[in-house]
Amino acid sequence: MALKILNALIAIIGGIGGAMIIFYILNKLVESVGGKWEDRLKPWAFAGPAILAIGVYLIYPAVVTIQYSFANETSTAYVGFKNYTDILTDSNFLQVLFNNLLWIIIVPAMCVILGLGVATLADRLKPRGEKLSKTIIFLPMAISMVGAATIWRAIYEYQPVGTPQTGLLNAMREWFGRDPVFWYGVEKLHFNSILLMIIFIWTQVGYSMVLLSAAIKAVPEDTVEAGRIDGAGEKRIFFSIILPQVWGTVLTVFITVLIGVMKIFDIVYVTTNGGFNTDVIGRRFYNELFTNGNAGYASAIVVLLMIAIIPVLVYQVRHFRAEEANR
Amino acid sequence: MTTAIQPGTGTPAEDPQILKISKEGENAGKASWAVKIGLSVLCFLWLMPVLGLLINSFRTRDAQFSSGWWSIIKNPFDSTVWTLNNYTQVLGDNASGTNMGKAFINSFIVTVPATVIPILIAAFAAYAFTFMEWRGRDIMFIIIVALLVVPNQVALVPLLKLYGTLGMNNTFAAVWLAHIGFGMPLAVYILRNYMAGLPKAVIESAKIDGASHFTTFWKLIIPMSTPALASFAIFQFLWVWNDLLVALIFLGRGDNTILTVALQGLQGQTGQGRELIPAAGFVTIIVPILVFLSLQRFFIRGMTSGAVKG
């Protein structure tokens, strides 16, 4: 243990010190060149290490992943489109895609709606009450998905009939004289998936609330006042005056939660491990890579995920460009 | 707070109040009773699962399995149900085979370098993206913006193989480097957006005084950028501490396992050690909660600067 801590200390000191020395040396080297080339090379001395990290850990592996997706389990021979045709004709995988689609349809929208609701209502409290309630709603953001899944056992847990129920939902059923239910096994109408989504939404509403709250507070008061003078009710003011002005933030929140949902892994892995028809792309990917040791399949799944993320990516870049233009 | 960030732009704004979690709006104090009660109920429901975990973590094995956590309302002072045993057990070697004390230290070992090291690298890059003119700069930054939304899964298969050939699987260095790489786009993005909002005049006058880029960076830009450095640090800390996938793949369940992976492993317990799950859960979530509560404003600053992590 002491050795480990020592190791970590060396990593911190070595990492930071090493980085400092590298930048110092790079800078000196570039300065020694002098003249025109100094100006040309200096940006690369400054930005080079970061670009290298991104290249090695994101861009290069992404390209290799595409390559692997056309190869066999051990990535030793090309198999053409076999992985893709296998996946897309596998009814199991189509079900996985459908589950992911459910997450995508339900979760981001719910996060926005709940966040917007809490932000609007908490705005009317006195500052102390507002701060307290917001901190409480915001708190689960700090909790890992594994932690959240553990916490929600207090609500969802199931014990066999005849033994005391330790999960709140099943205890409530018992108070009404009903038999306990193994919630994670209820596949009807994807009820179990929805229970998992609730855990995820619980961790994300705070994020949505904080962003939307800041946006709502930034809405110029005179626009609201003008609406009031024209005789608009609270509802009308919210939907016709406030909402259009915070729409940009609504989109930002939606996109951020959407990305989180598209690659969702932890919650499903910890609670059901993909059983009872709750599987999603992220967990299936892990399963193919690790349990089945099929790098070809796993890569093909990731490539599909990449393709699905392209519209989000395009939006993100456009949004950034528009913001830069306003700067 | 003297500077603030407009939602979405990441530039320091004139309105210093926007970031305060409870700026008094025009509507402050206008809540009807229905709103107050509704919000109170919501807040209670929101905290209830955490409360359940916390209560159970201090109850004996017998108490945990003979009644639900809510039953303590009936007689909260019945000393036979309360115990610290779960914590002393779970933090050391125990029957479940999961030592959360060890995992706790491992979590720190993974998280601290993976949080601190990328900051310096990203700060230099952000400086180059903001204050230097060079060919390829804009396209390079667009690529970084695009990479913000790309899930880490795209990198895992080749990295696993690469680490395999290098014999790096299950080492801390493997996870440190992975988190440095995965966190880099966000780090550069946050810092560059912040630096772009710094007053240009200060940098210009430093240049006129004959300061080199290197000196300007250290003496001027880094001290001025502390709020942005702090927001990235807290983001990355929470992200790395709470990560399951990267740790599961590159660090596994051996001696170097971290809290999230250990807690996940414990979930499967049905016999011995099952009573330790709530305590283990609490051990896992307490550090990020404390960090989060004490540094909330930096976290919010990072969020409102439009930070997304894929």
Side-chain angles (χ1 to χ4, degrees), chain A residues 1 4 11 16 57 65 124 134 137 142 150 153-154 159 166 171 202 217 221 263 269 323-324 327, chain B residues 8 11 21 23 26 29-31 46 64 69-70 102 106 116 154 163 177 192 242 253 255 267 274 310:
Chain A
M1 191 51 68
K4 270 190 196 166
I16 297 169
Y57 275 88
T65 299
R124 298 180 184 174
K134 280 186 175 173
I137 306 286
T150 312
R153 288 169 74 107
Q159 310 289 354
T166 51
W202 178 72
K217 283 175 196 297
E221 190 54 34
K263 56 164 194 169
Y269 179 65
E323 246 168 36
E324 284 300 290
R327 200 182 272 280
Chain B
T11 46
I21 195 161
K23 171 206 164 194
E26 293 296 314
K30 282 187 191 161
W46 222 252
Q64 274 190 48
W69 49 269
W70 53 89
K102 230 183 194 174
N106 287 338
V116 181
V154 303
Y163 280 160
L177 289 169
R192 185 264 179 194
N242 289 339
R253 301 185 186 281
D255 220 27
Q267 305 273 331
R274 199 170 129 214

Side-chain angles (χ1 to χ4, degrees), chain B residues 4-301:
Chain B
I5 291 173
Q6 292 277 9
T9 63
T11 46
E14 289 89 53
D15 179 7
Q17 288 184 305
I18 217 160
L19 272 187
K20 282 196 186 159
I21 195 161
S22 60
K23 171 206 164 194
E24 194 161 352
E26 293 296 314
N27 289 322
K30 282 187 191 161
S32 64
W33 277 104
V35 169
K36 280 182 191 166
I37 293 170
L39 275 177
S40 307
V41 170
L42 187 71
C43 286
F44 174 73
L45 287 177
W46 222 252
L47 277 188
M48 194 176 63
V50 186
L51 200 68
L53 176 90
L54 190 60
I55 292 170
N56 259 351
S57 74
F58 289 108
R59 291 168 86 214
T60 61
R61 182 182 166 88
D62 285 348
Q64 274 190 48
F65 298 125
S66 61
S67 59
W69 49 269
W70 53 89
S71 63
I72 57 122
I73 302 164
K74 274 179 258 167
N75 42 354
F77 300 110
D78 178 2
S79 62
T80 58
V81 305
W82 298 111
T83 178
L84 283 173
N85 206 10
N86 298 330
Y87 283 96
T88 50
Q89 286 252 314
V90 88
L91 289 172
D93 285 315
N94 60 65
S96 73
T98 307
N99 185 333
M100 295 300 271
K102 230 183 194 174
F104 191 81
I105 292 170
N106 287 338
S107 270
F108 266 106
I109 294 177
V110 165
T111 310
V112 177
T115 304
V116 181
I117 295 173
I119 292 179
L120 186 67
I121 300 175
F124 268 102
Y127 181 91
F129 277 113
T130 321
F131 300 114
M132 292 171 167
E133 295 286 339
W134 41 292
R135 277 186 71 176
R137 182 186 76 168
D138 292 339
I139 185 75
M140 202 71 85
F141 200 72
I142 294 282
I143 292 174
I144 288 178
V145 170
L147 284 173
L148 283 175
V149 302
V150 173
N152 298 334
Q153 273 102 333
V154 303
L156 297 180
V157 186
L159 285 180
L160 190 68
K161 285 196 192 262
L162 184 69
Y163 280 160
T165 23
L166 297 173
M168 272 174 77
N169 277 324
N170 301 330
T171 64
F172 287 124
V175 196
W176 288 330
L177 289 169
H179 280 305
I180 291 172
F182 296 158
M184 196 54 69
L186 181 65
V188 176
Y189 180 76
I190 290 183
L191 295 177
R192 185 264 179 194
N193 271 1
Y194 189 84
M195 287 180 189
L198 292 175
K200 284 270 188 302
V202 181
I203 289 94
E204 288 301 322
S205 65
K207 213 185 237 170
I208 291 164
D209 290 348
S212 70
H213 278 303
F214 204 70
T215 328
T216 317
F217 175 77
W218 276 120
K219 297 270 164 70
L220 264 175
I221 302 302
I222 286 288
M224 284 167 88
S225 305
T226 7
L229 298 173
S231 21
F232 170 72
I234 179 173
F235 256 108
Q236 179 81 348
F237 182 90
L238 289 178
W239 200 85
V240 175
W241 186 281
N242 289 339
D243 157 74
L244 176 71
L245 185 58
V246 175
L248 199 57
I249 288 185
F250 296 139
L251 215 46
R253 301 185 186 281
D255 220 27
N256 291 346
T257 196
I258 65 164
L259 283 173
T260 47
V261 179
L263 178 61
Q264 186 274 326
L266 202 60
Q267 305 273 331
Q269 290 291 342
T270 45
Q272 280 290 339
R274 199 170 129 214
E275 76 278 12
L276 302 178
I277 296 174
F282 197 69
V283 169
T284 307
I285 65 173
I286 185 65
V287 173
I289 285 184
L290 289 178
V291 167
F292 175 81
L293 286 180
S294 50
L295 299 169
Q296 217 184 107
R297 64 196 184 101
F298 291 110
F299 189 69
I300 293 174
R301 186 195 299 274

Side-chain angles (χ1 to χ4, degrees), chain A residues 20-84:
Chain A
M20 276 181 185
I21 292 168
I22 288 172
F23 280 116
Y24 183 79
I25 293 173
L26 278 175
N27 186 56
K28 279 283 161 215
L29 274 179
V30 172
E31 269 174 8
S32 71
V33 177
K36 214 169 155 193
W37 275 96
E38 184 186 334
D39 290 339
R40 276 191 198 158
L41 288 176
K42 200 163 239 180
W44 293 96
F46 274 50
I51 292 172
L52 186 73
I54 291 170
V56 171
Y57 275 88
L58 286 166
I59 296 172
Y60 164 75
V63 173
V64 177
T65 299
I66 297 174
Q67 192 189 349
Y68 281 175
S69 74
F70 295 105
N72 60 4
E73 298 97 78
T74 48
S75 318
T76 44
Y78 285 108
V79 292
F81 282 91
K82 185 174 173 296
N83 292 322
Y84 292 96

